[in-house]
Amino acid sequence: MIAFILRRLAFGAATVGGVLTFLFMLFFLYATPEDMARRALGDKAPPQAISTWIANHGYDRPLAWNPDAPADTLLVEHFRRSLSFDFGRSDADGMPIYQRIREGVGPSLALTLPLFVLGLLFSVALGLVVATFRDSYIDRAGLVLCVLTMSLSILLYIIGGQWLLGTVLRWFPVSGFDTDPAMLLRFVALPVLVGVFVSFGEQTRFYRTLFVEETSRDYVRTARAKGCGDGRVMWRHVLPNALIPIVTHVVVAIPLLFTGSILLESFFGIPGLGSMTVEAIHGNDFATLRAMVFLGSLLFIAAQIATDVLYTLLDPRIRLG
Amino acid sequence: MSTAVLEVSELTVRFPVGAARLPVVDGVALRLERGKTLALVGESGCGKSMTALALMRLVPKPGRIEAGSIQLEGEEIRELPVAAMRKIRGGRIAMIFQEPMTSLNPVRRVGVQVVEAIRLHEKISRPDARRRAIELFERVGIADAPTRFETYPHQLSGGLRQRVMIAMAIATHPAVLLADEPTTALDVTIQAQILELLRELQRSEGTAILLITHDLGVVAESADRVAVMYAGRVVEEASCRELLRAPRHPYSRALLAAMPAAARPGARLAEIPGTVPPPAQWEQGCRFAPRCEFAVENCRQTVPPLLAFGAGRGVACPIVAAGPCP
Ligand SMILES: Nc1ncnc2c1ncn2[C@@H]1O[C@H](COP(=O)(O)OP(=O)(O)OP(=O)(O)O)[C@@H](O)[C@H]1O
Ligand SMILES: [Mg+2]
């Protein structure tokens, strides 16, 4: 088990290296420092201003080869800074990126965490119900509901929700954010509602398929032959087995919680990492973008490792040396 | 004649396929007696498993029991409400299956699965149920029971898994045990051990056993009576000795002739010409007619009922029943 975890960690480290190399190629080779400066300053900027911008942002080192000081290159600097989470300052306004991320994580999680937990509980529960009563009118009603919510655009739910629940009924504020817990709840409720609504159709269908497939297994027939009722069959037999694919499906989604929801955050004015990423794109803030992409990949890789480890804990058949 | 523990008549199970409703079990009659074993034999796909599942009212959707009567110790259970049926399943009728590999829940310890079987039917504390389950493990010949109790199914051999299934099935002293090819997936020595275990349990508990198999060797060893099924119908029903000595129905004969032991050394192993037709292609008359060497025009027109043939024997073939054996 320990050896397995170590091996997975080694693979993870190699993947991180690959991600950093790719980022380097994208941001320094494909888009050169001069390109970045031109984008930031405009096409008509004098050469003087461009070289000042490049020097100010620390992009004036040699790319990867410096005979005088081998460590003093953009490549080494890129790896060193990324791996020590020293992302430097924003290319746009000079704010320390680390501080910006710390400020953005909170609002992002305030939105995505309840969205994730509620969405998961809701769709797993509904999936269990429709799978238990499969091929009955309950199942068909569930199907209609899921397909209906799946077939309309998220923009419709956002705008419709803001208009109906925010403007007309005045149940929730239309957009904005506050750190005071009571206010926070009011601000976050509407985007969470919209988010759950948008995702539960697809999720429920996924879980239903999973549960229905599980109920056709032989051990389920044995459980019924023992005298288990529908509820017991689902809870004690089908769910523990279905947990294995559910966990894989769910854990992979966890890192995306930290990076926030780009669409929901920008529409509801939540100052999280999603909004920050959008601003960075608009503001030609390459340093921030680089940091966000790197962190996203890192979290994703961590989730993959966690999934594999959880897998072995949930499924006694998997024994790894 | 002793009293029947389970008496089944006119049992019909249909599956909707397209517009048709195929009778995969068609008017089957069976009678299980206390302490006796009835073997149900027939080629693959003839409806043996479906018959057993129907007795438990566990026919998978979209199949349905459409007609017939199932009497358990004199009580009609075909229309019994679901809750009452749950008490019977695993309580008074238990079942074991062909695939001990997949029939146990892979993510739960085997002991817990036996404990569940006990606690579903008896008000008994967890530690007491656990003690009982370990006793059951010992009873079915699982060595080192307390250790094996904590293992997962994949850690046990096929034979041990089948023993766990049997422990689970006999936990509540059922009156009827349905054994659906309990030894098919096991190798020969283990097979003999499991059959011996079932016989021994039957002797001490008086369980009535329905033994589904397509191995006539198993039949010869374990059964008191035999019902031969072909394409959803019982075509012959007789005592084990008589059937093996002198099968009457053309299908029973063909089945016996195809058995390796029946072939003399050097003789060519007989084969039944043709294959079992799938339910969608069943004829309106005798379903064996297309493969039968004695078939006459009338065989293809009307369904032959199970006709009495001597004492305690039935054959669904008017030609054979009518007289001198062709
Ligand atoms: N869902 C279904 N839809 C239609 N027909 C079905 C369905 N399930 C089973 N059948 C049919 O029921 C018939 C009986 O199957 P059953 O499993 O009882 O056969 P069996 O005698 O137990 O065969 P085996 O020896 O292979 O176990 C088969 O012909 C099969 O085609
Ligand atoms: Mg079968």
Side-chain angles (χ1 to χ4, degrees), chain B residues 142-164:
Chain B
I142 297 177
D144 201 7
T147 316
R148 293 275 161 65
F149 193 86
E150 303 293 344
T151 56
Y152 288 97
H154 73 275
Q155 295 168 313
L156 299 178
S157 67
L160 278 177
R161 272 184 276 217
Q162 199 56 291
R163 284 177 200 268
V164 171

Side-chain angles (χ1 to χ4, degrees), chain B residues 221-242:
Chain B
E221 220 177 304
S222 299
D224 298 294
R225 296 188 63 80
V226 184
V228 180
M229 251 183 119
Y230 185 80
R233 292 194 187 133
V234 172
V235 295
E236 181 160 7
E237 215 255 279
S239 79
C240 178
R241 218 163 46 91
E242 279 181 73

Side-chain angles (χ1 to χ4, degrees), chain A residues 251-253 255-256 294-307:
Chain A
V251 170
V252 174
L256 301 174
F294 174 66
L295 282 182
S297 324
L298 209 62
L299 289 165
F300 188 79
I301 292 162
Q304 296 283 348
I305 297 173
T307 305

Side-chain angles (χ1 to χ4, degrees), chain B residues 82-243:
Chain B
V82 176
M85 204 54 224
R86 277 213 299 274
K87 291 214 178 68
I88 290 178
R89 288 180 199 140
R92 291 160 69 193
I93 309 181
M95 187 160 181
I96 55 182
F97 300 94
Q98 173 178 346
E99 308 84 5
M101 314 290 161
T102 52
S103 292
L104 289 165
N105 190 330
V107 304
R108 301 178 73 197
R109 295 172 198 275
V110 290
V112 176
Q113 300 188 45
V114 177
V115 166
E116 183 183 35
I118 298 172
R119 282 171 50 93
L120 275 168
H121 297 281
E122 275 175 56
K123 279 207 169 16
I124 174 172
S125 74
R126 239 172 248 280
D128 285 347
R130 191 192 143 86
R131 225 164 292 133
R132 271 266 302 282
I134 291 181
E135 277 166 31
L136 280 166
F137 269 42
E138 281 158 0
R139 178 99 171 70
V140 298
I142 297 177
D144 201 7
T147 316
R148 293 275 161 65
F149 193 86
E150 303 293 344
T151 56
Y152 288 97
H154 73 275
Q155 295 168 313
L156 299 178
S157 67
L160 278 177
R161 272 184 276 217
Q162 199 56 291
R163 284 177 200 268
V164 171
M165 284 295 289
I166 294 172
M168 201 146 84
I170 62 164
T172 53
H173 308 284
V176 178
L177 178 63
L178 309 175
D180 190 353
E181 310 201 23
T183 59
T184 309
L186 307 174
D187 59 47
V188 189
T189 38
I190 310 293
Q191 201 168 343
Q193 287 170 14
I194 296 287
L195 288 175
E196 178 50 38
L197 171 65
L198 287 176
R199 274 200 299 273
E200 193 266 313
L201 291 169
Q202 180 175 51
R203 267 198 299 277
S204 62
E205 306 250 336
T207 321
I209 296 183
L210 179 70
L211 180 65
I212 296 175
T213 177
H214 39 223
D215 184 344
L216 290 172
V218 170
V219 173
E221 220 177 304
S222 299
D224 298 294
R225 296 188 63 80
V226 184
V228 180
M229 251 183 119
Y230 185 80
R233 292 194 187 133
V234 172
V235 295
E236 181 160 7
E237 215 255 279
S239 79
C240 178
R241 218 163 46 91
E242 279 181 73
L243 188 104

Side-chain angles (χ1 to χ4, degrees), chain A residues 51-167:
Chain A
S51 48
T52 315
W53 190 94
I54 290 177
N56 282 347
H57 289 84
Y59 294 149
D60 54 351
R61 295 183 176 83
L63 257 185
W65 179 244
N66 187 352
D68 305 327
D72 191 25
T73 62
L74 281 178
L75 183 67
V76 172
E77 196 59 8
H78 168 66
F79 269 75
R80 189 188 64 73
R81 285 173 153 238
S82 299
L83 291 175
S84 57
F85 299 105
D86 167 17
F87 299 118
R89 290 169 183 278
S90 155
D91 284 345
D93 57 11
M95 280 257 290
I97 293 173
Y98 182 70
Q99 188 193 335
R100 290 270 300 264
I101 290 175
R102 269 186 39 182
E103 283 166 5
V105 162
S108 274
L109 285 180
L111 168 69
T112 53
L113 212 58
L115 178 60
F116 171 74
V117 173
L118 287 179
L120 180 66
L121 290 180
F122 194 57
S123 44
V124 167
L126 199 64
L128 263 178
V129 169
V130 292
T132 309
F133 300 102
R134 67 190 165 287
D135 302 327
S136 73
Y137 66 94
I138 296 178
D139 189 17
R140 278 188 285 277
L143 173 68
V144 170
L145 188 69
C146 289
V147 170
L148 247 158
T149 58
M150 274 157 74
S151 29
L152 298 178
S153 154
I154 181 168
L155 293 175
L156 190 83
Y157 293 115
I158 293 176
I159 297 165
Q162 284 179 330
W163 175 75
L164 185 69
L165 302 179
T167 312

